Amino acid sequence: MNQIEITQQLHVQQHEQVAHLFYEAFPLKVKHLWFYAKTKEQAVKLLSQSIQFEQGIYALRNEEVVGFLGYNIGKRAFTPANYRAFRNVYSPFEATWRFLCYAFYLKFHLYQEDVLHIDPIVVSEEARGHGIGKLLLRKVEQLAMNQHMTKINLEVVDTNPSAQKLYKHFGYRIQKELKSAPVTVKAGFKKVIFMQKCLEDNKTV
């Protein structure tokens, strides 16, 4: 495998790569939970215009984005509720209800200023198994410590046991579990696991 570069800087063409990768990782969530996008084209256009790329860490292979990690700090989100982006994709009525639904969802994913919240972490299917997730997690821990944060939060769904295993290996501990089937079954999962790592207890992995 060619060498992986971890960076926080992207050029414009790579922005669309991130949007495509985001959709490919979470098509059901994009369609049934976050944006209610009817097509991939709508979703990618919306994501391209909504993502705050400075709130991300990216894995590049030969200038191609093969993985990324988005993070929220306080009210600064990787994918905030951006009404203008919704209006660029949908009619006024369709944009408004989608925007309000996503804004309500996002309300529960913004935290205090001294906690970094990972949302999401993605590695392309063809690049999995090469340690990219570990590189992204190490980088975000470094970023959090540089900003004098003591905790990192994340969420993982019950249908992603490999991610749960990776996070536990990195020292993340389960804080609580939430059964969400009535709302999220169409999005492909029935339970959300909330995990946290205290950086004051950080150990080299």
Side-chain angles (χ1 to χ4, degrees):
M1 185 176 183
N2 294 324
Q3 187 172 358
I4 297 297
E5 175 190 359
I6 302 298
T7 182
Q8 291 180 260
Q9 304 295 324
L10 298 179
H11 55 65
V12 175
Q13 289 81 0
Q14 290 167 330
H15 289 181
E16 189 166 343
Q17 293 176 18
V18 173
H20 276 277
L21 193 55
F22 196 123
Y23 174 82
E24 290 166 3
F26 308 110
L28 294 179
K29 289 182 180 179
V30 169
K31 184 176 182 180
H32 298 292
L33 184 61
W34 293 335
F35 309 128
Y36 299 93
K38 295 179 180 179
T39 67
K40 179 179 179 179
E41 181 182 11
Q42 288 178 340
V44 169
K45 184 177 180 181
L46 180 59
L47 286 163
S48 296
Q49 297 180 41
S50 295
I51 292 172
Q52 302 300 298
F53 292 95
E54 70 276 8
Q55 293 284 125
I57 300 168
Y58 308 93
L60 305 182
R61 182 179 62 190
N62 296 329
E63 294 296 310
E64 178 186 1
V65 179
V66 293
F68 69 88
L69 182 155
Y71 61 90
N72 304 340
I73 299 176
K75 295 182 179 180
R76 291 171 287 157
F78 181 67
T79 47
N82 184 338
Y83 181 70
R84 179 178 295 180
F86 280 90
R87 275 293 291 116
N88 287 338
V89 178
Y90 301 105
S91 68
F93 174 75
E94 290 183 324
T96 299
W97 75 259
R98 284 176 169 85
F99 169 78
L100 291 174
C101 287
Y102 183 62
F104 180 77
Y105 165 84
L106 193 64
K107 181 180 180 181
F108 298 96
H109 294 76
L110 301 179
Y111 294 82
Q112 58 266 40
E113 290 289 338
D114 61 343
V115 176
L116 185 148
H117 184 80
I118 296 174
D119 185 25
I121 180 169
V122 174
V123 177
S124 66
E125 188 172 351
E126 66 272 14
R128 291 172 190 167
H130 296 280
I132 292 174
K134 293 179 180 179
L135 293 174
L136 292 169
L137 287 171
R138 288 194 184 103
K139 182 66 176 180
V140 80
E141 286 187 16
Q142 179 185 347
L143 184 151
M145 289 187 289
N146 288 345
Q147 297 192 35
H148 308 291
M149 296 182 181
T150 60
K151 297 176 183 178
I152 298 178
N153 291 342
L154 58 81
E155 297 160 20
V156 60
V157 298
D158 56 338
T159 51
N160 195 352
S162 60
Q164 293 180 49
K165 183 177 179 181
L166 173 64
Y167 302 144
K168 287 180 179 178
H169 177 70
F170 263 77
Y172 288 82
R173 298 290 176 257
I174 294 175
Q175 299 295 300
K176 64 179 179 178
E177 299 183 3
L178 175 66
K179 293 182 179 180
S180 58
V183 177
T184 64
V185 65
K186 287 186 177 180
F189 61 98
K190 297 181 180 179
K191 184 169 64 175
V192 181
I193 298 98
F194 296 81
M195 305 184 74
Q196 184 180 87
K197 180 169 185 176
C198 293
L199 297 178
E200 293 172 336
D201 302 326
N202 194 23
K203 297 179 181 180
T204 303
V205 180

